[in-house]
Amino acid sequence: MSHYDFAVIGAGAAGLAAGLTLKISGRSFIMLEARDRVGGRAWTDTATLGLPFDCGAHWLHAAAQNPFTRIADRLGFAYNSKLTWADERRYGGGGQLPEAVQAEAIDYIVDVLTRISASGRGEHDASFSSFLDPSNRWNTLTRQIINQITSHEAEDCSTEDYARYIDEGGDFPVEAGYGALVARHAAGLDVTLSTPVTGIDWSGRHVRLETSKGTVTAETIILAVPVNVLIAGGIRFDPALPLSLIEALHDCPMGVSEKLAILLDRPVEGLGHLYGDVIFSDPARRPFNLHTNPFGRPLLISHMGGALGREMERLSDAEAEAIAMEAVTEAFGASFRKHVRKMLRTHWASDPFTLGGYSHARPGRAASRLRFSEPVADKIVLAGEHCSIPFFSTVHGAHLSGIQAAGTALRLMDGQSA
């Protein structure tokens, strides 16, 4: 049985950052990853469509403050720093909606999100849905955008949690893929792949980890595992995790965030790299978003969060394709069908090593996120996007939490206060 100073469970952005930090320290450690690859929800698929496609994380959020912006510059990864949400377009009836109509939609969306943020900053923690007007014609579109931002429904999101989130600095897509950037940054880090941890016994002097390839022990572990996997009991703990931590996990669950990519025979003519929403004339039909021509590629990408994401993830390929084709023809006309060549869908919600999108605190439960920074009996330190107060739901939030978790684990090893 091998023994280490530290064991890092999970090689997503948080686990990789923790591993890189521990490597510098010179202490012994092992990294255990259930998948056959690193990156977690930051994964660039280059095989299915024959071009880079980020199945999960895509944007360098808060780019001015995001350490991966500097990492991208250092490693030579190009990104689009000119794309802004002001470049959004809205479509219906086979073409773009009139500018006045689009402006009306933007005004409502901005007003709702501004009031949500103001509520949270005023320490009045409410649900996002408290600020929606069911009678407004743009309410359904605004709900969809909330789904995409949070991966949850508006009723399930805390305004205080949202107000703490920092998003200034731009949102830049990475040309070769954000997942590819995360993997390249961690190149050379020794990770034991295809090794799920099934049980953690922290009842004794050392932490004992049961894996598919045997047992290892460590003084301290860094638990960089998605919230929903922990909630679902994907790892057995002996003894059970403290009740206060289990309650905090349930207070900050991951929602659903899925993607659907449509490969075309050519880029959409007359459009650049932009983000659009398809609005159906039937108000009962939910909008469908389309990110067009990323980096000039013949590609349409739809991001579906919350209940819509869950529904789409459960559909058959044929059913999902039919819905996507309805949206494409609503945006660009019926003749556009002939340009579609292939589709790709994600299934994060049913992936046993993920089970969802990203975390958001429930209304009235924003303070629960603070619990994740507290070590468990000086033996278990958490890391992941859910641990970040200002950058939850992001790759860089996970990355920074991994660095912090490694620092905490090292201080515990040295007998210092965490």
Side-chain angles (χ1 to χ4, degrees):
M1 184 186 305
S2 299
H3 181 76
Y4 302 88
D5 291 334
F6 305 101
V8 180
I9 305 174
L16 293 174
L20 290 169
T21 304
L22 293 175
K23 185 177 181 179
I24 295 171
S25 76
R27 300 296 184 94
S28 66
F29 69 97
I30 185 172
M31 293 196 61
L32 302 168
E33 167 56 43
R35 303 181 192 276
D36 61 1
R37 60 170 180 81
V38 302
R41 283 164 281 174
W43 174 41
T44 305
D45 181 341
T46 59
T48 304
L49 301 177
L51 47 78
F53 173 67
D54 275 319
C55 293
H58 178 78
W59 307 91
L60 288 166
H61 288 302
Q65 304 170 74
N66 188 331
F68 273 105
T69 305
R70 296 187 297 276
I71 293 169
D73 291 338
R74 175 170 56 82
L75 296 177
F77 274 67
Y79 49 83
N80 188 344
S81 60
K82 295 183 172 58
L83 184 65
T84 72
W85 297 111
D87 296 322
E88 288 179 282
R89 298 289 184 273
R90 289 172 178 83
Y91 301 87
Q96 284 194 42
L97 297 178
E99 290 295 330
V101 176
Q102 297 198 52
E104 178 186 305
I106 293 172
D107 287 346
Y108 178 69
I109 294 165
V110 170
D111 176 66
V112 169
L113 293 179
T114 299
R115 288 187 291 117
I116 286 172
S117 185
S119 168
R121 288 195 303 273
E123 298 184 356
H124 173 62
D125 195 1
S127 72
F128 282 25
S129 58
S130 305
F131 301 89
L132 292 168
D133 177 5
S135 66
N136 190 288
R137 65 181 292 197
W138 300 112
N139 202 56
T140 305
L141 175 60
T142 305
R143 276 185 169 276
Q144 172 187 279
I145 291 171
I146 288 171
N147 294 160
Q148 293 165 356
I149 292 172
T150 68
S151 81
H152 290 265
E153 291 301 305
E155 288 76 9
D156 299 324
C157 294
S158 155
T159 58
E160 185 175 344
D161 201 39
Y162 180 71
R164 292 173 177 166
Y165 178 81
I166 297 175
D167 62 355
E168 294 90 353
D171 297 303
F172 305 156
V174 182
E175 185 170 10
Y178 204 163
L181 172 61
V182 170
R184 176 76 68 81
H185 176 58
L189 188 61
D190 188 13
V191 180
T192 304
L193 300 173
S194 303
T195 310
V197 173
T198 56
I200 298 175
D201 183 341
W202 54 286
S203 61
R205 176 183 173 188
H206 305 308
V207 183
R208 181 185 178 98
L209 307 177
E210 301 293 338
T211 82
S212 60
K213 297 178 181 177
T215 302
V216 299
T217 61
E219 299 295 321
T220 304
I221 67 169
I222 295 176
L223 189 62
V225 176
V227 169
N228 285 8
V229 174
L230 296 175
I231 290 174
I235 299 176
R236 182 185 67 260
F237 289 87
D238 182 20
L241 292 173
L243 180 59
S244 62
L245 177 55
I246 294 174
E247 290 175 342
L249 293 171
H250 283 273
D251 288 343
C252 301
M254 295 155 58
V256 178
S257 179
E258 303 293 348
K259 286 184 177 180
L260 183 150
I262 304 170
L263 182 67
L264 309 172
D265 61 358
R266 58 171 175 73
V268 182
E269 293 180 355
L271 295 180
H273 186 173
L274 56 81
Y275 190 88
D277 291 301
V278 181
I279 312 298
F280 295 96
S281 56
D282 180 357
R285 302 277 301 281
R286 284 181 291 195
F288 198 93
N289 77 286
L290 291 172
H291 178 195
T292 68
N293 302 340
F295 299 98
R297 294 167 181 151
L299 197 62
L300 298 172
I301 302 171
S302 182
H303 175 194
M304 298 158 290
L308 175 60
R310 189 176 300 281
E311 291 170 19
M312 289 291 289
E313 198 266 346
R314 290 172 175 171
L315 295 177
S316 68
D317 286 346
E319 291 170 327
E321 181 174 351
I323 291 174
M325 287 301 96
E326 288 178 353
V328 168
T329 55
E330 185 72 18
F332 307 123
S335 63
F336 198 82
R337 285 176 177 266
K338 64 185 179 184
H339 298 296
V340 174
R341 291 295 175 265
K342 194 174 185 179
M343 294 181 60
L344 179 157
R345 301 172 61 200
T346 64
H347 292 279
W348 295 111
S350 57
D351 183 325
F353 303 131
T354 305
L355 297 179
Y358 28 89
S359 69
H360 200 101
R362 298 185 187 280
R365 300 295 181 179
S368 293
R369 199 180 289 281
L370 301 172
R371 177 65 178 83
F372 301 139
S373 63
E374 302 171 12
V376 178
D378 289 352
K379 293 180 180 180
I380 302 174
V381 182
L382 272 64
E385 54 85 10
H386 54 286
C387 300
S388 176
I389 301 299
F391 301 123
F392 62 88
S393 80
T394 68
V395 172
H396 66 287
H399 173 83
L400 292 170
S401 81
I403 295 172
Q404 180 176 345
T408 297
L410 287 165
R411 288 192 295 275
L412 290 173
M413 176 70 74
D414 293 336
Q416 301 174 30
S417 171

